PDB file of all heavy atoms in Angstrom:
ATOM      1  N   ILE A  92    -105.376  80.454 -46.458  1.00 96.00           N
ATOM      2  CA  ILE A  92    -104.403  79.950 -45.490  1.00 96.00           C
ATOM      3  C   ILE A  92    -103.733  81.118 -44.773  1.00 96.00           C
ATOM      4  O   ILE A  92    -103.510  81.080 -43.557  1.00 96.00           O
ATOM      5  CB  ILE A  92    -103.331  79.085 -46.188  1.00 96.00           C
ATOM      6  CG1 ILE A  92    -103.998  78.005 -47.050  1.00 96.00           C
ATOM      7  CG2 ILE A  92    -102.397  78.457 -45.158  1.00 96.00           C
ATOM      8  CD1 ILE A  92    -104.872  77.048 -46.284  1.00 96.00           C
ATOM      9  N   ARG A  93    -103.456  82.185 -45.541  1.00 95.00           N
ATOM     10  CA  ARG A  93    -102.763  83.346 -44.973  1.00 95.00           C
ATOM     11  C   ARG A  93    -103.569  83.981 -43.839  1.00 95.00           C
ATOM     12  O   ARG A  93    -103.000  84.470 -42.855  1.00 95.00           O
ATOM     13  CB  ARG A  93    -102.508  84.371 -46.080  1.00 95.00           C
ATOM     14  CG  ARG A  93    -101.623  85.533 -45.643  1.00 95.00           C
ATOM     15  CD  ARG A  93    -101.376  86.492 -46.797  1.00 95.00           C
ATOM     16  NE  ARG A  93    -100.496  85.908 -47.806  1.00 95.00           N
ATOM     17  CZ  ARG A  93    -100.873  85.651 -49.060  1.00 95.00           C
ATOM     18  NH1 ARG A  93    -102.118  85.913 -49.451  1.00 95.00           N
ATOM     19  NH2 ARG A  93    -100.022  85.129 -49.917  1.00 95.00           N
ATOM     20  N   LEU A  94    -104.890  83.977 -43.951  1.00 94.00           N
ATOM     21  CA  LEU A  94    -105.744  84.565 -42.918  1.00 94.00           C
ATOM     22  C   LEU A  94    -105.480  83.928 -41.556  1.00 94.00           C
ATOM     23  O   LEU A  94    -105.331  84.621 -40.541  1.00 94.00           O
ATOM     24  CB  LEU A  94    -107.217  84.393 -43.304  1.00 94.00           C
ATOM     25  CG  LEU A  94    -108.249  84.748 -42.226  1.00 94.00           C
ATOM     26  CD1 LEU A  94    -108.183  86.226 -41.882  1.00 94.00           C
ATOM     27  CD2 LEU A  94    -109.655  84.359 -42.685  1.00 94.00           C
ATOM     28  N   PHE A  95    -105.398  82.601 -41.522  1.00 94.00           N
ATOM     29  CA  PHE A  95    -105.191  81.897 -40.252  1.00 94.00           C
ATOM     30  C   PHE A  95    -103.770  82.114 -39.731  1.00 94.00           C
ATOM     31  O   PHE A  95    -103.552  82.213 -38.523  1.00 94.00           O
ATOM     32  CB  PHE A  95    -105.485  80.405 -40.430  1.00 94.00           C
ATOM     33  CG  PHE A  95    -106.929  80.121 -40.708  1.00 94.00           C
ATOM     34  CD1 PHE A  95    -107.405  80.051 -42.009  1.00 94.00           C
ATOM     35  CD2 PHE A  95    -107.826  79.956 -39.665  1.00 94.00           C
ATOM     36  CE1 PHE A  95    -108.739  79.802 -42.271  1.00 94.00           C
ATOM     37  CE2 PHE A  95    -109.168  79.705 -39.913  1.00 94.00           C
ATOM     38  CZ  PHE A  95    -109.627  79.637 -41.219  1.00 94.00           C
ATOM     39  N   TRP A  96    -102.822  82.210 -40.660  1.00 93.00           N
ATOM     40  CA  TRP A  96    -101.443  82.462 -40.246  1.00 93.00           C
ATOM     41  C   TRP A  96    -101.316  83.854 -39.630  1.00 93.00           C
ATOM     42  O   TRP A  96    -100.657  84.043 -38.606  1.00 93.00           O
ATOM     43  CB  TRP A  96    -100.514  82.320 -41.450  1.00 93.00           C
ATOM     44  CG  TRP A  96     -99.086  82.655 -41.122  1.00 93.00           C
ATOM     45  CD1 TRP A  96     -98.230  81.942 -40.350  1.00 93.00           C
ATOM     46  CD2 TRP A  96     -98.369  83.814 -41.551  1.00 93.00           C
ATOM     47  NE1 TRP A  96     -97.011  82.574 -40.263  1.00 93.00           N
ATOM     48  CE2 TRP A  96     -97.071  83.735 -40.999  1.00 93.00           C
ATOM     49  CE3 TRP A  96     -98.691  84.906 -42.358  1.00 93.00           C
ATOM     50  CZ2 TRP A  96     -96.103  84.704 -41.216  1.00 93.00           C
ATOM     51  CZ3 TRP A  96     -97.727  85.872 -42.579  1.00 93.00           C
ATOM     52  CH2 TRP A  96     -96.446  85.766 -42.009  1.00 93.00           C
ATOM     53  N   LEU A  97    -101.973  84.850 -40.227  1.00 90.00           N
ATOM     54  CA  LEU A  97    -101.924  86.209 -39.695  1.00 90.00           C
ATOM     55  C   LEU A  97    -102.634  86.301 -38.343  1.00 90.00           C
ATOM     56  O   LEU A  97    -102.170  86.993 -37.431  1.00 90.00           O
ATOM     57  CB  LEU A  97    -102.563  87.183 -40.692  1.00 90.00           C
ATOM     58  CG  LEU A  97    -101.765  87.439 -41.980  1.00 90.00           C
ATOM     59  CD1 LEU A  97    -102.603  88.229 -42.974  1.00 90.00           C
ATOM     60  CD2 LEU A  97    -100.464  88.179 -41.670  1.00 90.00           C
ATOM     61  N   ALA A  98    -103.767  85.606 -38.215  1.00 90.00           N
ATOM     62  CA  ALA A  98    -104.483  85.612 -36.936  1.00 90.00           C
ATOM     63  C   ALA A  98    -103.614  85.025 -35.831  1.00 90.00           C
ATOM     64  O   ALA A  98    -103.605  85.517 -34.696  1.00 90.00           O
ATOM     65  CB  ALA A  98    -105.785  84.828 -37.064  1.00 90.00           C
ATOM     66  N   GLU A  99    -102.857  83.976 -36.170  1.00 90.00           N
ATOM     67  CA  GLU A  99    -101.942  83.378 -35.196  1.00 90.00           C
ATOM     68  C   GLU A  99    -100.771  84.313 -34.913  1.00 90.00           C
ATOM     69  O   GLU A  99    -100.366  84.495 -33.760  1.00 90.00           O
ATOM     70  CB  GLU A  99    -101.440  82.032 -35.743  1.00 90.00           C
ATOM     71  CG  GLU A  99    -100.201  81.470 -35.070  1.00 90.00           C
ATOM     72  CD  GLU A  99    -100.425  81.079 -33.632  1.00 90.00           C
ATOM     73  OE1 GLU A  99    -101.592  81.010 -33.190  1.00 90.00           O
ATOM     74  OE2 GLU A  99     -99.425  80.860 -32.927  1.00 90.00           O
ATOM     75  N   LYS A 100    -100.245  84.935 -35.954  1.00 87.00           N
ATOM     76  CA  LYS A 100     -99.080  85.811 -35.808  1.00 87.00           C
ATOM     77  C   LYS A 100     -99.393  87.010 -34.921  1.00 87.00           C
ATOM     78  O   LYS A 100     -98.591  87.394 -34.061  1.00 87.00           O
ATOM     79  CB  LYS A 100     -98.622  86.282 -37.190  1.00 87.00           C
ATOM     80  CG  LYS A 100     -97.418  87.219 -37.162  1.00 87.00           C
ATOM     81  CD  LYS A 100     -97.022  87.635 -38.573  1.00 87.00           C
ATOM     82  CE  LYS A 100     -95.839  88.596 -38.547  1.00 87.00           C
ATOM     83  NZ  LYS A 100     -95.450  89.014 -39.924  1.00 87.00           N
ATOM     84  N   TYR A 101    -100.563  87.615 -35.122  1.00 85.00           N
ATOM     85  CA  TYR A 101    -100.925  88.820 -34.372  1.00 85.00           C
ATOM     86  C   TYR A 101    -101.811  88.526 -33.159  1.00 85.00           C
ATOM     87  O   TYR A 101    -102.195  89.447 -32.440  1.00 85.00           O
ATOM     88  CB  TYR A 101    -101.631  89.816 -35.294  1.00 85.00           C
ATOM     89  CG  TYR A 101    -100.726  90.379 -36.365  1.00 85.00           C
ATOM     90  CD1 TYR A 101    -100.873  89.999 -37.693  1.00 85.00           C
ATOM     91  CD2 TYR A 101     -99.718  91.277 -36.044  1.00 85.00           C
ATOM     92  CE1 TYR A 101    -100.043  90.506 -38.679  1.00 85.00           C
ATOM     93  CE2 TYR A 101     -98.882  91.790 -37.012  1.00 85.00           C
ATOM     94  CZ  TYR A 101     -99.045  91.399 -38.334  1.00 85.00           C
ATOM     95  OH  TYR A 101     -98.214  91.906 -39.305  1.00 85.00           O
ATOM     96  N   ASN A 102    -102.145  87.240 -32.974  1.00 86.00           N
ATOM     97  CA  ASN A 102    -102.935  86.828 -31.810  1.00 86.00           C
ATOM     98  C   ASN A 102    -104.250  87.601 -31.716  1.00 86.00           C
ATOM     99  O   ASN A 102    -104.565  88.234 -30.708  1.00 86.00           O
ATOM    100  CB  ASN A 102    -102.120  87.006 -30.523  1.00 86.00           C
ATOM    101  CG  ASN A 102    -102.797  86.356 -29.325  1.00 86.00           C
ATOM    102  OD1 ASN A 102    -103.551  85.392 -29.474  1.00 86.00           O
ATOM    103  ND2 ASN A 102    -102.537  86.877 -28.138  1.00 86.00           N
ATOM    104  N   VAL A 103    -105.017  87.567 -32.806  1.00 86.00           N
ATOM    105  CA  VAL A 103    -106.300  88.267 -32.841  1.00 86.00           C
ATOM    106  C   VAL A 103    -107.419  87.278 -33.170  1.00 86.00           C
ATOM    107  O   VAL A 103    -107.190  86.231 -33.780  1.00 86.00           O
ATOM    108  CB  VAL A 103    -106.294  89.406 -33.883  1.00 86.00           C
ATOM    109  CG1 VAL A 103    -105.393  90.536 -33.425  1.00 86.00           C
ATOM    110  CG2 VAL A 103    -105.871  88.897 -35.254  1.00 86.00           C
ATOM    111  N   LEU A 104    -108.628  87.637 -32.782  1.00 85.00           N
ATOM    112  CA  LEU A 104    -109.804  86.827 -33.077  1.00 85.00           C
ATOM    113  C   LEU A 104    -110.308  87.125 -34.485  1.00 85.00           C
ATOM    114  O   LEU A 104    -109.900  88.105 -35.116  1.00 85.00           O
ATOM    115  CB  LEU A 104    -110.903  87.110 -32.055  1.00 85.00           C
ATOM    116  CG  LEU A 104    -110.577  86.778 -30.593  1.00 85.00           C
ATOM    117  CD1 LEU A 104    -111.706  87.258 -29.686  1.00 85.00           C
ATOM    118  CD2 LEU A 104    -110.359  85.286 -30.424  1.00 85.00           C
TER     119      LEU A 104
END
Side-chain angles (χ1 to χ4, degrees):
I92 308 299
R93 188 178 289 116
L94 170 64
F95 293 92
W96 176 70
L97 289 171
E99 163 66 13
K100 179 180 179 180
Y101 293 108
N102 191 27
V103 290
L104 298 174

